[in-house]
């Protein structure tokens, strides 16, 4: 629980298991490099900012942004990269670019809330992206792997393409 103010997270080539953001009001955790988390990333209170460096986040666990937490994506990419039978959950926050990947199917990514992606969504090989009954807002391109995986709408949610220019919807092979 860092005190209020700005704090910088520097990992270099190391990775963490879980990163829990429990800052007081006004606490901002800024990234000094791209990070890989082998566990969960709950942003309970305070802010996580990828900074003007637009540093990426690779996450093998679950994503949670509570109502008192804030994620500032700027122009960064968050990659959900959990493999295997356990679903990786995504709750809260908004993203600039969101990518899913998995080394082995099913690699399910499950939305637990409405989600806004202001730029591109890439659903990679060996992953299923299930929005359930949640709405998905995509401001850029939507690339959906055409293999046995891909986008699933198992509930009543809707995809809204809300970009200001032309948007591409691709159902092709991703690597």
């Amino acid at each position: 629980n860092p005190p209020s103010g700005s704090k910088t997270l520097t990992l270099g080539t190391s990775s963490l298991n879980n990163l829990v953001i429990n800052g007081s009001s006004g606490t901002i955790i800024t990234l000094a490099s791209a990070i890989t988390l082998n566990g969960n990333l709950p942003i309970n209170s305070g802010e996580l900012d990828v900074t003007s460096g637009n540093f990426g986040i690779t996450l093998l666990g679950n994503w949670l942004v509570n109502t008192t937490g804030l994620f500032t994506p700027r122009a960064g990419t968050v990659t959900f990269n959990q493999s295997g039978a356990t679903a990786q959950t995504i709750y809260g926050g908004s993203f600039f670019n969101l990518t899913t990947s998995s080394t082995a199917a099913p690699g399910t990514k499950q939305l637990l809330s409405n989600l806004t992606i202001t730029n591109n969504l890439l659903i990679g090989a060996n992953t299923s992206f299930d929005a359930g009954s949640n709405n998905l807002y995509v401001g850029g391109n939507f690339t959906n792997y055409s293999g046995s995986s891909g986008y699933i709408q198992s509930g009543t949610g809707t995809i809204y393409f809300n970009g200001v220019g032309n948007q591409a919807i691709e159902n092709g092979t991703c690597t």
Side-chain angles (χ1 to χ4, degrees):
N1 292 338
S4 64
S6 184
K7 311 296 179 224
T8 302
L9 178 63
T10 305
L11 290 180
T13 58
S14 300
S15 62
L16 294 174
N17 191 23
N18 298 307
L19 175 61
V20 180
I21 309 294
N22 278 329
S24 57
S25 178
T27 300
I28 302 171
I29 306 298
T30 60
L31 298 184
S33 62
I35 62 171
T36 297
L37 301 174
N38 296 318
N40 300 321
L41 177 53
I43 303 172
N44 296 318
S45 58
E47 177 182 353
L48 178 61
D49 185 345
V50 301
T51 71
S52 59
N54 300 312
F55 296 114
I57 298 172
T58 300
L59 183 63
L60 280 69
N62 298 317
W63 174 275
L64 170 69
V65 178
N66 282 314
T67 57
T68 57
L70 176 66
F71 173 62
T72 304
R74 300 191 189 247
T77 298
V78 177
T79 301
F80 291 89
N81 193 28
Q82 180 174 320
S83 299
T86 302
Q88 190 172 17
T89 59
I90 304 168
Y91 180 89
S94 63
F95 300 89
F96 183 74
N97 290 318
L98 190 148
T99 299
T100 68
S101 63
S102 179
T103 56
T108 301
K109 315 310 178 199
Q110 177 71 52
L111 287 187
L112 300 179
S113 66
N114 293 337
L115 187 67
T116 298
I117 302 164
T118 58
N119 199 41
N120 299 324
L121 170 62
L122 184 135
I123 302 169
N126 298 315
T127 63
S128 296
F129 190 86
D130 185 356
S133 294
N134 301 294
N135 294 326
L136 179 61
Y137 300 87
V138 180
N141 299 327
F142 179 95
T143 304
N144 189 33
Y145 179 73
S146 65
S148 61
S149 303
Y151 184 80
I152 299 169
Q153 189 73 48
S154 65
T156 58
T158 301
I159 300 176
Y160 295 94
F161 294 94
N162 59 352
V164 293
N166 294 336
Q167 291 178 259
I169 301 172
E170 181 181 340
N171 193 22
T173 301
C174 298
T175 55

